[in-house]
Amino acid sequence: RDLSLSDSKRAGVAAVIEELTARASLLDEVGLGYVSLDRSTSTLSGGEARRVRLSASLGSHLVGVCYVLDEPTVGLHPQDIDRLTNALLALRDGGNTVLVVEHDESVMRRADFLVDMGPGAGRHGGEVVAADTPAEVEANGASMTARALRGEITVARSASRAQEKDAETLAIAGATKHNLKGASFEARFGDITGVCGPSGSGKSTLIMECLVPAMGGERPNGRWTEARGSVGGARRTVVVDASPIGRTPKSIPATAVGLMDPLRELFARTPEARMRGYRPFSFSFNSTKGRCPACEGRGASKIEMQFLADLWLTCDECRGRRYRPEILDVRYRGHSVADVLDMTVDEALEFLEHVPDIARMLRTLRDVGLGYLTLGQSSTTLSSGEAQRIKLATELARASNVERSILILDEPTTGLAKSDVTHLFGVLERLAERGHAVIVIEHHVELLNACDRLVELGPSGGSAGGRVIATGTPAELRANPDSVTGPWLASALRTSKRKPKPPAAKKKRATKKKKAVSTATATGGKKDVR
């Protein structure tokens, strides 16, 4: 807009300037005004990359297109979510259909229509529990989403949490990688420390690319000036992200959490197995002694599709059971090893609660909200949120509580409903109570409000960010005028304290709907009943 040109030159390139200005304005609309146009896309965060693609759709001016977005708010600060929602509404107003798979409450409330799936997860889900306007869904007594919208489900600190903390800390100072401007970070063992701030402000760079290498003993090489607390790998540093736990059908939740070893031992001790001379490895679908020779223990055969993605079809020999028939003849309390892998976590816990090693691992999976998950389910079918919680359960199930670790979680609420977030935070509290340093990179305001301490980067993204603008308890950030996240924390706190509205009676809702339809009919159908 501010390009200085003479009238004669401007006339010649007016159309080009208009197009450039329009496209740059679209990037600004979705909150990417700070991004330089020549920046490499490999340096963009997930939220930034998604908004670049969205701005391209906005600029196409297409009509009659169905846009499908899966968790578009992942990696976005609340203020960025507001801008994103405005962009989606602009697509709708342009004559398009926008379908959004989402858990964010603000997006749900601004939707025209909500479809709530449930009532539970896994085998307990798969049904449409409610399908109506946000106000009508909120009044639905059978919907878990409605409970969250009414404020009946909240993320809060446990009343039993100890107030006295260990003085031991870990820290990094003078971080300057990418857009960081001498940022410093400190966390205390036994605390849950939240790292927050606008999208692109440098949160992941500070923790993942500076703190994690420093704690692992890497040389600074200009990335930071000082690090202390666990330098040189004196303590374990565990990064729990949403990456898959495996990429083939051979990877399953039971192997990820270490459940297969005690399970194989259990079946090897049965009288039938001892009589046949079977050893624990005989009950492994990775062993030539036990696995189905046709599918090599995968339960499915891979069909290469040349230019398309590979296709996996259920094995004709074992019908997805993974094992040789003679191995499946061995039974423990009437069930084969394949039968146990076909159980959900809840079912397996009921069946094997008398086996301490197995029961302990199953309880941790249940505690992180994965009671519905099938033990032998292929990891390729797991969502990112499920994969992350399996990794958390693995850490929680470790027998030794003596070793203090540094646990770092990058966007752990990805793909989680509010009820799942409450389960997740309960697990984080248990890890903190064991003396671990729990560090969470997060935008979920209710989870941030429940943290012991917050470190906020900002005040914006890109070159306008990279500084620590606020530190302290959630209450201190809510009162800090320099904090960008503070107002959103305060708003979430006010909402959680609001008295939940009881579900409206079905009869009243039906009457209201009938009245709306009658009004629309009387006005020639011009009124939008939604």
Side-chain angles (χ1 to χ4, degrees):
R1 291 195 188 107
D2 300 332
L3 188 61
S4 179
L5 291 173
S6 63
D7 292 340
S8 59
K9 289 182 178 179
R10 183 173 290 276
V13 294
V16 178
I17 290 178
E18 183 180 350
E19 186 67 19
L20 289 172
T21 305
R23 291 184 181 274
S25 297
L26 290 170
L27 287 168
D28 192 44
E29 271 183 41
V30 295
L32 294 177
Y34 61 86
V35 175
S36 57
L37 296 176
D38 66 343
R39 182 171 163 184
S40 170
T41 54
S42 62
T43 66
L44 296 175
S45 68
E48 288 170 335
R50 191 169 297 207
R51 282 180 288 164
V52 168
R53 293 195 294 272
L54 183 62
S55 68
S57 297
L58 284 168
S60 65
H61 302 296
L62 294 174
V63 177
V65 177
C66 179
Y67 291 97
V68 183
L69 297 93
D70 189 12
E71 300 277 0
T73 63
V74 170
L76 297 189
H77 189 269
Q79 68 178 7
D80 299 316
I81 292 175
D82 200 41
R83 287 177 171 179
L84 174 75
T85 309
N86 289 335
L88 297 180
L89 295 177
L91 283 176
R92 177 205 64 184
D93 295 340
N96 301 295
T97 300
V98 183
L99 302 179
V100 186
V101 182
E102 190 52 77
H103 291 293
D104 185 79
E105 184 176 324
S106 64
V107 175
M108 286 193 282
R109 289 192 181 279
R110 295 182 69 181
D112 297 301
F113 200 79
L114 280 184
V115 178
D116 181 31
M117 302 296 292
R123 294 180 182 178
H124 309 300
E127 299 175 20
V128 176
V129 178
D132 217 317
T133 62
E136 290 291 331
V137 170
E138 184 178 350
N140 190 309
S143 168
M144 188 66 74
T145 301
R147 291 187 58 202
L149 291 173
R150 292 195 298 265
E152 295 174 8
I153 302 174
T154 58
V155 183
R157 286 170 56 92
S158 170
S160 61
R161 281 282 299 279
Q163 295 301 312
E164 291 185 11
K165 304 292 180 182
D166 197 310
E168 188 179 1
T169 62
L170 60 100
I172 189 169
T176 55
K177 187 167 184 179
H178 295 324
N179 65 329
L180 295 177
K181 302 175 179 64
S184 298
F185 174 84
E186 184 179 82
R188 190 160 47 187
F189 285 88
D191 271 358
I192 301 174
T193 305
V195 184
C196 58
S199 308
S201 59
K203 301 182 296 297
S204 295
T205 301
L206 176 61
I207 302 302
M208 296 299 194
E209 299 186 45
C210 293
L211 182 67
V212 171
M215 296 300 106
E218 290 187 22
R219 293 180 179 275
N221 293 330
R223 290 174 290 179
W224 62 85
T225 57
E226 181 188 357
R228 59 178 172 80
S230 186
V231 181
R235 294 192 186 278
R236 246 175 11 112
T237 301
V238 181
V239 177
V240 181
D241 58 16
S243 60
I245 59 172
R247 300 187 182 276
T248 68
K250 272 198 172 183
S251 175
I252 60 175
T255 56
V257 297
L259 190 66
M260 286 304 298
D261 288 339
L263 189 62
R264 288 194 293 264
E265 292 278 356
L266 181 67
F267 274 89
R269 290 197 300 266
T270 60
E272 181 73 14
R274 294 170 66 181
M275 184 180 69
R276 297 189 182 194
Y278 291 161
R279 305 293 296 275
F281 63 79
S282 302
F283 296 91
S284 168
F285 51 75
N286 289 315
S287 165
T288 54
K289 301 288 186 182
R291 72 187 184 191
C292 167
C295 64
E296 297 183 337
R298 297 184 183 92
S301 300
K302 180 179 177 182
I303 309 297
E304 294 187 3
M305 300 295 288
Q306 296 297 328
F307 301 108
L308 299 175
D310 293 335
L311 188 65
W312 291 92
L313 299 177
T314 303
C315 176
D316 291 331
E317 293 293 325
C318 67
R319 299 191 179 279
R321 306 281 281 172
R322 300 175 183 267
Y323 291 94
R324 295 175 181 269
E326 56 267 29
I327 298 297
L328 298 180
D329 288 340
V330 177
R331 303 271 172 163
Y332 176 77
R333 297 177 63 194
H335 290 80
S336 68
V337 63
D339 292 333
V340 175
L341 293 180
D342 282 339
M343 294 180 182
T344 64
V345 171
D346 288 335
E347 291 168 347
L349 182 57
E350 185 178 349
F351 179 65
L352 297 168
E353 61 181 353
H354 60 284
V355 185
D357 289 346
I358 295 177
R360 176 172 51 83
M361 296 179 187
L362 291 172
R363 286 193 189 96
T364 58
L365 284 170
R366 184 188 62 185
D367 290 345
V368 296
L370 294 178
Y372 63 88
L373 208 63
T374 304
L375 293 177
Q377 183 175 335
S378 169
S379 64
T380 58
T381 64
L382 298 175
S383 69
S384 57
E386 288 169 335
Q388 194 163 23
R389 281 183 287 168
I390 285 174
K391 295 174 187 176
L392 258 183
T394 305
E395 288 303 316
L396 194 64
R398 288 183 179 274
S400 174
N401 296 337
V402 177
E403 181 189 12
R404 289 184 171 186
S405 304
I406 303 168
L407 302 175
I408 297 172
L409 296 93
D410 190 7
E411 300 279 357
T413 62
T414 298
L416 302 189
K418 191 182 283 189
S419 56
D420 299 319
V421 177
T422 59
H423 279 295
L424 170 72
F425 189 75
V427 173
L428 298 185
E429 285 196 303
R430 287 172 61 182
L431 290 168
E433 285 172 352
R434 291 182 179 184
H436 301 301
V438 181
I439 301 168
V440 185
I441 304 171
E442 191 51 77
H443 290 293
H444 195 288
V445 286
E446 286 197 45
L447 190 144
L448 291 173
N449 263 329
C451 288
D452 297 295
R453 187 171 177 272
L454 298 178
V455 177
E456 183 180 11
L457 279 81
S460 187
S463 59
R467 294 189 293 108
V468 175
I469 59 172
T471 59
T473 64
E476 289 171 339
L477 254 70
R478 291 193 295 267
N480 190 332
D482 296 328
S483 172
V484 178
T485 309
W488 299 95
L489 296 173
S491 176
L493 191 64
R494 288 193 297 270
T495 303
S496 64
K497 288 182 177 180
R498 187 179 60 201
K499 188 177 180 180
K501 294 183 292 185
K506 290 184 178 180
K507 187 175 180 181
K508 290 183 179 179
R509 294 202 304 274
T511 305
K512 183 178 179 182
K513 195 169 184 180
K514 186 175 180 181
K515 184 177 179 182
V517 173
S518 301
T519 306
T521 307
T523 56
K526 293 180 181 179
K527 180 176 178 179
D528 188 345
V529 179
R530 296 177 301 174

